Amino acid sequence: MSAKDPDPAPELLSGAAAPCPGYPPALGESRLLTEAELQASLDCALSGWDGASDLWLFGYGSLIWNPGLPTVENVRSRVHGYHRGLYLWSRVNRGTPEQPGLVLALDRGGSCAGVAFRLAAEGVMPHLEALWRREMAMGSYRPAWLPCVLAGGRRVSALAFVMRRDVATYTGKLNDATVRTVLGCASGRYGTTLDYVRRTVEALRESGMPDRALEQLLARCA
C-alpha cells in the first residue's frame, strides 16, 4: 500500500460485512402469544372441521423437510393465488431481535408448489397444538384453508400458513443486498437463515418441484 492509498475500512480488515442500509429493521417490541391465544387461534381455524375426517396440511417451507408430526400420506401439490418468498422477519427461530433472520411465507399472487400432508383425524389434536406453538408463536401467519391440487389431479382443502401483511415482521419485497446481509449473519434457536433456505431448496429439488426463483436468489446472495 502506498502512502497515498487510504487505510482499509475497519470492517474489511476484520472480515465483517459492510453495513446494509435498512438492516436491521426497526420492528419494535415482540410478544409471544399466550397458550390461551394459541388455543383460540387453533379452535378458530378448525371451526369448520367435523372432527372425524382426515385433515390436509400444505407445506411450502421447513414443513417439507421437517413436518414434525405423523402423516398418513404425503403428496406433491400446488396452491393458486399465493407464492412462496422470504417475507417474514424471524427474531427467534432463524435470527435474533438484534439481527433478525428470514423465513418463508405465502404471499398474494401466483402459485406455489409444495407437499400436502394428510393427517389422520384420530389423535391429531396434540400434534396440531404442537404445530401451532411452532408456527403461530408470534401470530405472524394467518391460518387459511386453501384449494390444493394434488399430483394426479385430486383436489382438497388444505390448511396453510399465509403471511399477514398487517404485522411489523412482514418484509415486503427485499433487495439482494439485504438478503445477502441476512444470509451472512442471521442465526437463531434452530440455526441460520442460510441453512434454512438451503435445506428448503434441496428438499424442493429432491421432491421434483424445484423453485427456480428461490434457487436463483440463493445463488446471488449466499
Side-chain angles (χ1 to χ4, degrees), residues 25-43:
L27 299 177
E29 293 295 322
S30 61
R31 185 182 75 85
L32 297 176
L33 297 187
T34 65
E35 285 294 319
E37 288 171 325
L38 286 171
Q39 188 62 52
S41 171
L42 176 57
D43 291 345

Side-chain angles (χ1 to χ4, degrees), residues 53 55 60 62 80 102 104 114 142 150 152-153 178 209:
S53 304
L55 298 174
Y60 55 86
S62 63
H80 293 273
L102 290 167
L104 293 163
R142 174 177 60 85
L150 307 183
T178 301
M209 46 185 181

